[in-house]
């Protein structure tokens, strides 16, 4: 059983930046994909983007060019750098780890973008 713990959320003004972290209790090398999802109030959870175990990344159109996902295998951590934040980026952000056998979720961290 792997636990994922997100951190780094908070209140930020439009145009600002935040860096979210996801720390795993075990090695992330066993996961094919480490992803970030978000869920805004009253909306379904949606994919923000993901990074594969060979470092390839993919992003939702809504965040392309503004968000960057990276990983540090030595620290068993994945990061979400968010720049140019918009009010519509307000959501709870979740870390996700998956391979062919299992999928794990963190409990999320709240990001609020407001002036």
């Amino acid at each position: 059983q792997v636990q994922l713990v997100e951190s780094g959320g908070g209140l930020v003004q439009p145009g600002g930046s935040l860096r979210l972290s996801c720390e795993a209790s075990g090695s992330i090398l066993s996961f094919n994909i480490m992803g970030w999802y978000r869920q805004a109030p009253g909306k379904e959870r949606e994919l923000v983007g993901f990074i594969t175990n060979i470092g390839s990344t993919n992003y939702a159109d809504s965040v392309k060019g503004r968000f960057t996902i990276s990983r540090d295998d030595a620290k068993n951590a994945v990061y979400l750098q968010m720049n140019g934040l918009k009010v519509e980026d307000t959501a709870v952000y979740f870390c996700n780890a998956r391979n062919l056998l299992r999928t794990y979720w963190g409990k999320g961290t709240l990001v609020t973008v407001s002036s």
Side-chain angles (χ1 to χ4, degrees), residues 74-88:
K75 295 182 178 180
N76 295 319
V78 178
Y79 307 99
L80 178 64
Q81 177 67 43
M82 304 186 294
N83 299 326
L85 282 161
K86 305 176 180 180
V87 172
E88 51 264 40

Side-chain angles (χ1 to χ4, degrees), residues 36-38 43 46-49 58-68 80 82-91 93:
W36 285 96
Y37 287 73
R38 66 185 181 186
K43 295 188 177 182
E46 63 176 4
L47 176 68
V48 173
N58 199 299
Y59 301 95
D61 288 342
S62 59
V63 306
K64 277 182 182 176
R66 299 188 298 124
F67 290 11
T68 303
L80 178 64
M82 304 186 294
N83 299 326
L85 282 161
K86 305 176 180 180
V87 172
E88 51 264 40
D89 294 320
T90 295
Y93 284 71

Side-chain angles (χ1 to χ4, degrees), residues 19-74:
R19 186 190 192 216
L20 306 185
S21 299
C22 170
E23 296 185 2
S25 60
S27 175
I28 63 173
L29 292 173
S30 64
F31 297 107
N32 302 102
I33 290 177
M34 299 291 298
W36 285 96
Y37 287 73
R38 66 185 181 186
Q39 187 166 16
K43 295 188 177 182
E44 294 185 354
R45 191 172 297 188
E46 63 176 4
L47 176 68
V48 173
F50 63 83
I51 186 166
T52 71
N53 54 4
I54 59 172
S56 299
T57 55
N58 199 299
Y59 301 95
D61 288 342
S62 59
V63 306
K64 277 182 182 176
R66 299 188 298 124
F67 290 11
T68 303
I69 297 175
S70 61
R71 59 190 290 158
D72 187 334
D73 293 338

